[in-house]
Amino acid sequence: MRRLPAVLGILTASLLLTVALPTSSQAATGRFDYTGTNGVPSVIFNPPNGPCIGFNRPAVGVDNQTDTGATLYTGLACSGITEFVPARTGLTWGTYRPNSVRFG
């Protein structure tokens, strides 16, 4: 019976830490700009981390002004050849044409 208060104290402390500690971000903060092969710019604001996001058309350049790195893919469903774009970085390409992106 002496152990019961100690066990309850540990469980309570664990619960409080779980509730009090911040969780990982569910979205990148900032904007992700890309320019399609037709020259038209597009923007994604505060994109979610994890899901694949397809572009309207293949991109010739991107500007990742979010706080999260982005992985670009040549395929529409985040497949194919990849290129990583760190946070606060922009890139343009000669022949590489990404069609989708995933953050986080």
Side-chain angles (χ1 to χ4, degrees), residues 18-92:
T18 302
V19 173
L21 292 176
T23 58
S24 62
S25 175
Q26 296 300 311
T29 301
R31 60 186 284 152
F32 181 85
D33 296 274
Y34 66 95
T35 303
T37 53
N38 61 351
V40 175
S42 297
V43 64
I44 303 167
F45 291 100
N46 301 323
N49 284 335
C52 182
I53 301 169
F55 296 156
N56 297 331
R57 66 177 53 237
V60 295
V62 300
D63 187 18
N64 181 13
Q65 292 304 311
T66 70
D67 59 356
T68 304
T71 303
L72 300 167
Y73 300 84
T74 54
L76 288 173
C78 291
S79 62
I81 299 169
T82 64
E83 176 140 5
F84 183 75
V85 182
R88 313 277 183 232
T89 303
L91 293 174
T92 57

